[in-house]
Amino acid sequence: MRLDSPLTDIKGIGEQLGKKFAVLGIKTAGDFITYYPRKYDDYSDIQTIKQIKPGMVTIRATIKQTVGRYASRGLHITEAVASDDTGSVRLIWFNQPYRSAAIKANQEYYISGEFALRRQRLSIQNPSAELVSSFPLNTARIVPIYRETKGLKSGQIRKALGRLVPIIKQLPETLPEWIINAERLLSRSEATLQMHFPDSPQELTAAKKRLGFEEVFQLTLAALLNKYQLLAEQAPVVTFTEQLARDFVAHLPFTLTDAQRRVIWQIYKDIQKPQPMNRLIEGDVGSGKTVVAAMAALMVLNQNQQVAFMAPTELLARQHADTLFNLYKPLGMSEHVGLLVGGLKPTAKAEAHQRLANGDIKLMVGTHALIQEKANMHDLALVIVDEQHRFGVEQRKKLQAKAGHMPHLLSMTATPIPRSLALTLYGELDISVLDAKPANRKPVQSKLVPLAGRLKIYQAVDEQLGLGHQAFVVCPLITDSEYVASKSAEQVYEELKTGIFKHRKLALLHSKLKPAEKDDIMQAFIRHEYDLLVATTVIEVGVDVPNASVMVIENSDRFGLAQLHQLRGRVGRSGQQGYCYLVLSDNQAPKARMRALETSSDGFKLAEYDLQLRGPGAIYGTMQHGQLDLRVAKLTDTRLIAAARTRAQEFIDKQEDLLQYKELYEHVRNNRTVTNLN
Ligand code: ADP
Ligand code: MG
């Protein structure tokens, strides 16, 4: 038996059972031993029958005879009496007719279950019973509970895992010995054994610590290695010209915030170095990231090199191109800005390519695919990526190949990434936080609305429309679904258009529309040809509608906090008070999670809160190419994260040979392709 042996090599697992394990993603012995329990029931406290009180109990007792019978309405009841030196207790199983045959009379068993009153008599109900042995699986210990599937229960999983104990005991070590010693970690073999068959709560904690450490260590090491690899690359030095920066700022219609100044300065320092910048700007919606990017690009344009500005959608690309055009106009530099999106007419597209080729266009704004594949950026010095975390190694290498050097990278996001996650996942990035908003911005007033209050809210919305403002209504679905009881944009659009907003102009926007259609609708909305836009979360990223003052989010509890926060940032963007009504899916008292939106306007706090409550996968799952495969580690465990990072850095400083650690090497290699931004 080896780690890569198929599961059916395990005694007792045939074709049929093998298929059920496959449903849980377990195909090999190796998969199986890392299929960690979901939770544990502690049955380690063995009591005498005289001691037991109602609740979960474990006893060690001899079972006399067991009797099964059918009671009323097809209910099957199995009864038995268990005795120890201190007394006797009744055991009762419902609809488990196999019990009477399975239990051997006059043998000593460990018995765990709920001791409770039933028909005026106390009994232990539906207990697990297991012959007394030195290695019980289901009773008399801390018992692991696994994620189950139809026809495959934790009991069977435990039994099959029991057969793998010899393999687990021989698992090779994966971490360097000096780290194990310094961090006082269990060996991998011992930790894995304790995860599935814990001897005590302390051992279980130690096992989680070891395996969690390893997960974070691998991620962090991969990130740091990326960082150093990138530092070894050659990037163009971008000269900082102070007078140009001053001129640019002098022509802005507003004063930069201190946060913007700080971040711009960090960028200028980065790009003056011959190593590639690798910086992520995190800033709430409306914190003014675009002008920061424009100032970074300014210096590149000034020395006649090129900038690629990539947006996630065509609409956003167009908006950015307009914004940049206007920002550079006072300096006479706007003709350097070009746009490359799919929706352009063929002649316009050809012209853009041509102007790029002859050097007229130096700053190309567009969607990823177009810039990446079609644009000939032969003297590319800076890549700006808006609202997308991931910009893979491969992508960047392609640009490097065209340009002959590694371009600097500036990535921007409105998604607040808690520090713990940033250190683990994005460890190769330098992060700048735009933590202050322009002074004229008021926090959006947010209110949770029970379902019953929904229509009244739309009256409040109508008042805003009456004042000449515009509104968004966001729905979780595009079309009605028979599986999900959430509001769809199509349905809400019909409802509002024919009902309460009969006298207003409404539009519908969702991701199934063609890019050009989406574009047209959004542009028309920006020009105030519509009062109200019913949409799915397509409006989430970046789009600026200065006149919008109110947003209604239907079934708001279906969204994550960070996402809701990003959504509501779309309103109140030009000095007017913004309002956000978060309609709930029912009339029950809102959960604390949702209430946090009413009280906090701090995107980081909300993201942190979501991370604790729902884990990283739930929040960040969609924004990554790969999965964040943390099975044991909690990203809220800051001590663990700090320790793993310190050791990963030490590992690099010691110039350890990664190839010596075969499994670690594999993991790091995987992580580097998955969690990469450079
Ligand atoms: P985001 O960070 O969401 O990308 P934008 O860059 O789109 O934000 O900026 C949002 C709006 O705020 C824009 O209209 C922009 O002109 C304006 N803005 C940016 N910086 C400032 C500032 N310092 N003071 C006032 N308004 C600003
Ligand atoms: Mg933006």
Side-chain angles (χ1 to χ4, degrees), residues 193-467:
L193 195 64
Q194 291 296 333
M195 283 300 277
H196 294 296
F197 308 102
D199 286 329
S200 68
Q202 292 75 19
E203 298 287 318
L204 180 57
T205 305
K208 286 182 180 168
K209 177 181 162 192
R210 147 74 208 222
L211 296 170
F213 178 93
E214 184 163 9
E215 287 173 346
V216 178
F217 176 77
Q218 286 164 351
L219 282 172
T220 318
L221 183 62
L224 289 178
L225 286 169
N226 278 331
K227 184 171 176 166
Y228 287 108
Q229 185 195 19
L230 203 65
L231 285 178
E233 300 280 357
Q234 197 70 27
V237 169
V238 180
T239 315
F240 167 63
T241 310
E242 188 177 343
Q243 193 51 47
L244 183 61
R246 285 187 184 285
D247 281 353
F248 181 88
V249 172
H251 288 101
L252 286 174
F254 47 74
T255 339
L256 292 175
T257 63
D258 288 345
Q260 283 170 320
R261 282 173 203 280
R262 193 188 67 236
V263 174
I264 290 162
W265 188 239
Q266 284 169 337
I267 295 169
Y268 283 157
K269 278 207 291 206
D270 286 352
I271 59 180
Q272 287 176 74
K273 293 182 193 150
Q275 291 100 25
M277 167 171 76
N278 208 24
R279 189 169 285 282
L280 174 70
I281 305 182
E282 279 186 77
D284 250 356
V285 173
S287 57
K289 295 185 285 291
T290 320
V291 69
V292 172
M295 288 192 71
L298 186 64
M299 296 302 157
V300 179
L301 302 182
N302 190 46
Q303 61 182 32
N304 277 320
Q305 287 188 296
Q306 291 171 316
V307 182
F309 196 133
M310 306 192 193
T313 65
E314 199 164 321
L315 189 69
L316 214 56
R318 284 175 191 271
Q319 211 165 50
H320 278 320
D322 279 350
T323 306
L324 294 167
F325 189 89
N326 291 327
L327 285 171
Y328 294 132
K329 208 185 221 159
L331 305 184
M333 291 170 78
S334 33
E335 75 273 14
H336 294 321
V337 180
L339 176 71
L340 197 55
V341 290
L344 287 182
K345 297 212 172 67
T347 48
K349 216 182 265 178
E351 192 195 318
H353 280 293
Q354 207 224 321
R355 289 183 58 220
L356 186 65
N358 67 22
D360 283 354
I361 294 179
K362 298 204 182 67
L363 196 174
M364 190 54 101
V365 187
T367 41
H368 283 248
L370 283 177
I371 292 191
Q372 192 76 50
E373 284 141 37
K374 307 276 166 55
N376 187 12
M377 309 283 283
H378 46 81
D379 199 9
L380 184 64
L382 172 66
V383 176
I384 298 168
V385 185
D386 190 27
E387 303 291 0
Q388 183 160 357
H389 293 238
R390 299 291 170 185
F391 189 65
V393 206
E394 292 314 313
Q395 290 173 286
R396 197 163 174 184
K397 286 230 172 91
K398 266 190 216 157
L399 294 174
Q400 180 187 25
K402 278 189 204 170
H405 50 230
M406 184 64 89
H408 296 288
L409 177 75
L410 182 63
S411 184
M412 306 191 285
T413 180
T415 306
I417 307 170
R419 200 176 137 70
S420 57
L421 192 66
L423 284 176
T424 315
L425 257 194
Y426 303 101
E428 73 264 44
L429 286 175
D430 296 312
I431 297 183
S432 299
V433 182
L434 275 180
D435 49 9
K437 286 206 185 176
N440 62 349
R441 272 323 128 56
K442 307 177 186 86
V444 176
Q445 277 185 25
S446 303
K447 197 169 180 289
L448 299 176
V449 182
L451 192 58
R454 181 174 170 266
L455 286 179
K456 228 161 128 194
I457 284 316
Y458 280 112
Q459 273 148 23
V461 171
D462 198 49
E463 271 168 39
Q464 284 291 310
L465 301 186
L467 294 173

Side-chain angles (χ1 to χ4, degrees), residues 75-78 92-97 118-119 125-126:
L75 178 71
H76 188 276
I77 290 179
T78 309
I92 186 162
W93 290 272
F94 300 101
N95 287 334
Q96 299 182 20
R118 176 114 183 181
R119 295 192 185 137
Q125 304 185 3
N126 292 320

Side-chain angles (χ1 to χ4, degrees), residues 461-491:
V461 171
D462 198 49
E463 271 168 39
Q464 284 291 310
L465 301 186
L467 294 173
H469 291 305
Q470 286 165 279
F472 288 104
V473 175
V474 181
C475 304
L477 301 174
I478 299 176
T479 315
D480 276 2
S481 155
E482 50 179 310
Y483 305 109
V484 189
S486 290
K487 294 239 182 288
S488 74
E490 284 175 350
Q491 173 212 338

Side-chain angles (χ1 to χ4, degrees), residues 6 12 28 49 129 138 183 217 222 239 249 255 308-309 344 392 398 429 441 537 565 580 589 600 614 636 643:
T28 63
I49 291 175
N138 307 312
E183 293 293 330
F217 176 77
T239 315
V249 172
T255 339
F309 196 133
L344 287 182
K398 266 190 216 157
L429 286 175
R441 272 323 128 56
T537 51
H565 181 68
C580 180
S600 176
R614 311 200 310 160
T636 40

Side-chain angles (χ1 to χ4, degrees), residues 24 68 81 115 164 171 180-181 186 188 206 228 255 258 282-284 313 336-337 370 410 468 481 489 522 543 589 612:
L24 297 173
V81 174
F115 184 48
L164 291 184
L171 275 179
I180 305 240
N181 294 335
L186 292 185
R188 170 147 170 266
Y228 287 108
T255 339
D258 288 345
E282 279 186 77
D284 250 356
T313 65
H336 294 321
V337 180
L370 283 177
L410 182 63
S481 155
M522 205 63 207
V543 178
Q612 280 172 26

